[in-house]
Amino acid sequence: RQGVMEKARRRLREFDVGDRFSRLPLPRAAVLLPLVVRGGRLHLLLTVRSMQLRRSPGEVCFPGGKSEATDKDDIDTALREAKEEVGLQPEKVEVICRLMPGIDKMNNLVTPVVGFIEDTFQANPNPDEVSEVFVVPLEYFVKPLNYKTFFYKTSSGYLTRIHCFMYDDQEHKRSFKIWGLTAHFAVFLALVIFGERPTFEVDYDLDNLISSSENNFINLYTSVYERKKSNL
């Protein structure tokens, strides 16, 4: 277990962006990508949004949400939301890094915060926000059994590849659809940690993952920000 975690820590720290993007003029949000080691393999904890929620009910996502005035930074936001949504105490998370942010449909700048949690963690979902919690082997996001992709043009005109995974969960005896920004973050996390080519196409130069992911983000941000400026 320690060997698996140490290798992941080393890789992840190379990709830590810290607060480099925190001053961009977009509303902020953060998600926690909770890694857990089970049976000697890395797994990723995910949630299903409650059907009562107005936005994206029933969709798979990571614990997270919008930044609040009391949050010191993106890490604070991600940990606070994880506590509110699934009962994960902040002190039970070993935060490793912040990865390249994404921009969601509402034009929020979303920062993924990666942390290790104990394999003994028992989720206590807040039913107002979360209906289910499950884990997926991280490897699934580079070697999926059931995958498709499509292209999507954002409202700002930026063409992006959308990953869509269907994961058959034996524990819950059902399939979960993981797509959009959640899948984007999961794929990037798996690429960073494993350093191997996935069985599907990605929008990165895999030999230069750091610079390539940064260029992709800057292009996306520029397209969104130019549109925002032109709407003023």
Side-chain angles (χ1 to χ4, degrees), residues 139-156:
E139 208 178 322
Y140 197 79
F141 296 105
V142 282
K143 295 177 181 169
L145 297 174
N146 192 340
Y147 169 87
K148 62 183 180 199
T149 186
F150 55 93
F151 285 91
Y152 171 74
K153 193 173 262 193
T154 67
S155 56
S156 57

Side-chain angles (χ1 to χ4, degrees), residues 101-193:
I103 297 174
D104 69 11
K105 295 192 290 269
M106 312 299 289
N107 286 344
N108 295 303
L109 183 76
V110 185
T111 298
V113 176
V114 184
F116 280 110
I117 62 173
E118 290 293 330
D119 62 344
T120 52
F121 170 64
Q122 293 288 316
N124 182 20
N126 171 354
D128 293 337
E129 300 194 48
V130 172
S131 62
E132 286 177 274
V133 177
F134 65 104
V135 297
V136 179
L138 184 61
E139 208 178 322
Y140 197 79
F141 296 105
V142 282
K143 295 177 181 169
L145 297 174
N146 192 340
Y147 169 87
K148 62 183 180 199
T149 186
F150 55 93
F151 285 91
Y152 171 74
K153 193 173 262 193
T154 67
S155 56
S156 57
Y158 183 79
L159 191 65
T160 183
R161 185 192 302 272
I162 303 284
H163 302 291
C164 182
F165 299 85
M166 290 302 297
Y167 177 67
D168 291 328
D169 186 287
Q170 299 308 310
E171 191 185 336
H172 291 80
K173 300 283 187 286
R174 79 178 193 85
S175 290
F176 292 101
K177 179 184 178 183
I178 307 160
W179 71 295
L181 195 55
T182 300
H184 168 82
F185 286 149
V187 167
F188 189 66
L189 179 67
L191 291 175
V192 166
I193 289 178

Side-chain angles (χ1 to χ4, degrees), residues 47-61 129-132 134 174-177 179:
T47 69
V48 179
R49 289 172 63 83
S50 163
M51 292 306 290
Q52 306 166 41
L53 291 171
R54 238 187 10 214
R55 201 159 66 79
S56 307
E59 291 205 354
V60 170
C61 65
E129 300 194 48
V130 172
S131 62
E132 286 177 274
F134 65 104
R174 79 178 193 85
S175 290
F176 292 101
K177 179 184 178 183
W179 71 295

